């Protein structure tokens, strides 16, 4: 399973015996924060400058089971150190990003703090970064809130879908099926893409950074608007690609501003975990199928409990059929007592057979 380095206490610079001491507290947990990393791993804590590649100070730190938290203290010489810095904590490889390759996902995702001053006068903001290196050499920057908020954190199925799309879009990969046909069309016309339950926007924003000539509309509840705006501002879309946001509550009628548009591709990742919301999700997908006939829907899910199976029953009842199904096995950092079961993310490609039915 994937684990994420998280700040329990954000970096803070304090005066210490004539120098500056950078203090922080981290943990390593799963996407939901419901379990801790149970192995031993060497991490690197790096103070980096504004250009991200410049390293002011690095120190190796050790996480050992059964740790639940790890203190970080970095001593900086007092002097010309008023410039803003960020604290990066991740696997001991010296890289400034976590590389997302051809269906490759790192076992431990590093974290970046927001900017803070080395003058000892302030601390980092309540937002943290994840930085992913894509196959097209682009860097995808995704901000999360450092507080516990499901809507404002990266989830495994979104990360797996990002890796899958990163692999599929590469020129060296000959894409086939409905996705391959759509990607081929992007060379001739602009693709219209919609994401439901965008959360941080990692999938939709990442897609716009990978594929030229697409318009991506990210949707979620109002509470996700700020984090999506922050991530859109930090993004560097590919040529002639763009992102925008619209509030969409599945319990409400789909806004006319959405149904008046025709979408070629619809993304849904990690949105079936709550069985109570599944009927509303399927009704929304059915409404979109009516207003965008022929749209291809990609569902990425990491099954967490058996009640999620109702999603597939309702999709079938609504005239959707599975055109393709691929899986991504999440990485495991092995240690001597590791007996955990491999976790798998399932990626389904749905198409609508008919335009009446459920919802």
């Amino acid at each position: 399973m994937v684990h994420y380095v998280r700040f329990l206490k954000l970096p803070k610079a304090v005066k210490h015996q004539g120098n500056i001491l950078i203090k922080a507290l981290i943990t390593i947990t799963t996407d939901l924060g419901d379990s801790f990393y149970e192995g031993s791993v060497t991490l690197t804590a790096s103070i980096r400058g504004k250009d991200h590649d410049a390293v002011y100070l690095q120190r190796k730190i050790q996480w050992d089971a059964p740790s639940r938290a790890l203190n970080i203290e970095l001593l900086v010489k007092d002097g010309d150190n008023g410039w803003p810095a960020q604290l990066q904590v991740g696997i001991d490889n010296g890289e400034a990003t976590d590389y997302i390759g051809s269906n490759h996902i790192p076992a431990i995702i590093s974290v970046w703090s927001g900017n803070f001053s080395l003058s000892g006068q302030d601390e980092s903001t309540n937002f943290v970064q994840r930085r992913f290196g894509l196959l097209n050499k682009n860097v995808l920057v995704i901000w999360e809130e450092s507080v516990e908020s499901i809507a404002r954190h990266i989830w495994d199925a979104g990360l797996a879908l990002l890796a899958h799309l990163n692999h599929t879009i590469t020129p060296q990969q000959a894409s086939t099926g409905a996705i391959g046909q759509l990607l081929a069309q992007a060379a001739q016309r602009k693709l219209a893409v919609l994401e439901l339950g965008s959360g941080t926007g990692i999938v939709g924003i990442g897609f716009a950074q990978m594929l030229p000539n697409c318009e991506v509309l990210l949707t979620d509840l109002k509470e996700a608007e700020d984090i999506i705006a922050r991530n859109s501002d930090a993004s560097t879309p590919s040529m002639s690609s763009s992102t925008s946001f619209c509030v969409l509550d599945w319990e409400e009628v789909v806004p006319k501003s959405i149904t008046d548009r025709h979408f070629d591709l619809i993304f849904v990742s990690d949105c079936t975990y709550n069985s109570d919301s599944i009927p509303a999700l399927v009704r929304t997908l059915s409404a979109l199928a009516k207003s965008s006939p022929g749209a291809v829907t990609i569902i990425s899910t990491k099954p967490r409990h058996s009640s999620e199976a109702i999603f597939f029953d309702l999709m079938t009842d609504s005239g959707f059929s599975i055109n393709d199904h691929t899986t991504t096995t999440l990485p495991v950092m092995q240690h001597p007592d590791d007996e955990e079961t491999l976790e798998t993310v399932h990626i389904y490609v749905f198409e609508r057979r008919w335009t009446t039915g459920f919802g």
Side-chain angles (χ1 to χ4, degrees):
M1 63 180 65
V2 180
H3 285 80
Y4 301 77
V5 182
R6 304 188 189 280
F7 286 113
L8 295 176
K9 292 183 180 179
L10 292 164
K12 184 175 183 179
V14 296
K15 296 285 187 179
H16 178 74
Q17 298 179 355
N19 293 306
I20 300 296
L21 186 65
I22 309 300
K23 303 177 69 174
L25 181 67
I26 65 160
T27 187
I28 308 177
T29 72
T30 55
D31 57 350
L32 295 185
D34 54 356
S35 64
F36 299 90
Y37 183 66
E38 297 179 354
S40 296
V41 62
T42 301
L43 303 173
T44 297
S46 305
I47 297 178
R48 293 181 179 268
K50 290 181 63 176
D51 62 358
H52 307 297
D53 289 327
V55 178
Y56 183 80
L57 180 67
Q58 270 189 345
R59 177 186 165 193
K60 292 184 179 181
I61 55 177
Q62 186 68 26
W63 173 279
D64 290 313
S67 297
R68 295 295 180 265
L70 180 63
N71 278 302
I72 297 176
E73 293 188 352
L74 301 173
L75 191 63
V76 179
K77 292 183 179 180
D78 197 6
D80 185 18
N81 48 31
W83 45 270
Q86 288 180 280
L87 177 61
Q88 177 202 10
V89 184
I91 291 293
D92 181 29
N93 58 14
E95 297 294 329
T97 60
D98 290 321
Y99 175 68
I100 302 292
S102 296
N103 286 320
H104 168 75
I105 302 172
I108 295 180
I109 306 298
S110 61
V111 66
W112 291 66
S113 72
N115 286 332
F116 64 95
S117 172
L118 293 180
S119 64
Q121 297 176 346
D122 59 8
E123 62 184 89
S124 173
T125 66
N126 287 327
F127 293 92
V128 298
Q129 283 183 3
R130 310 290 181 181
R131 300 178 61 85
F132 301 104
L134 305 176
L135 288 173
N136 64 1
K137 308 302 182 183
N138 210 331
V139 175
L140 174 63
V141 176
I142 296 295
W143 289 92
E144 296 179 318
E145 280 197 353
S146 61
V147 297
E148 292 300 323
S149 170
I150 288 176
R152 300 180 180 93
H153 281 179
I154 294 171
W155 285 31
D156 288 351
L159 192 58
L161 181 53
L162 176 73
H164 176 73
L165 294 170
N166 193 33
H167 171 72
T168 303
I169 291 171
T170 55
Q172 296 81 9
Q173 177 68 22
S175 302
T176 59
I179 301 301
Q181 294 174 13
L182 280 177
L183 295 179
Q185 292 176 28
Q188 307 298 326
R189 65 176 181 86
K190 191 176 290 289
L191 289 186
V193 181
L194 175 70
E195 183 179 10
L196 300 181
S198 298
T200 62
I202 184 173
V203 174
I205 293 171
F207 189 76
Q209 289 199 198
M210 297 174 195
L211 186 71
N213 209 28
C214 67
E215 291 181 346
V216 180
L217 177 62
L218 301 109
T219 68
D220 208 318
L221 299 176
K222 179 70 175 178
E223 66 186 64
E225 184 172 8
D226 289 346
I227 197 68
I228 289 176
R230 178 182 282 264
N231 286 327
S232 293
D233 289 344
S235 69
T236 53
S238 293
M239 184 179 298
S240 300
S241 290
S242 62
T243 61
S244 57
F245 175 78
C246 178
V247 173
L248 175 56
D249 185 341
W250 304 337
E251 298 288 349
E252 306 293 336
V253 175
V254 180
K256 194 171 183 294
S257 60
I258 293 179
T259 57
D260 279 349
R261 298 177 59 180
H262 183 279
F263 292 96
D264 302 293
L265 187 57
I266 299 171
F267 292 132
V268 185
S269 66
D270 241 330
C271 290
T272 61
Y273 65 93
N274 182 1
S275 59
D276 291 339
S277 68
I278 287 176
L281 171 59
V282 176
R283 282 195 297 270
T284 299
L285 288 170
S286 296
L288 292 168
K290 293 176 183 178
S291 61
S292 295
V296 174
T297 300
I298 300 181
I299 308 290
S300 180
T301 178
K302 186 180 82 170
R304 300 176 191 273
H305 41 76
S306 59
S307 62
E308 296 179 49
I310 191 177
F311 172 77
F312 298 93
D313 295 336
L314 293 179
M315 288 291 280
T316 299
D317 292 345
S318 301
F320 289 92
S321 60
I322 297 175
N323 177 279
D324 190 23
H325 173 211
T326 60
T327 59
T328 297
T329 300
L330 298 178
V332 173
M333 292 286 286
Q334 298 288 346
H335 60 88
D337 298 322
D338 191 1
E339 297 179 354
E340 60 188 346
T341 303
L342 293 177
E343 290 188 329
T344 301
V345 172
H346 296 260
I347 300 173
Y348 299 90
V349 178
F350 281 90
E351 293 185 272
R352 186 75 174 272
R353 298 191 305 271
W354 35 270
T355 56
T356 59
F358 182 82

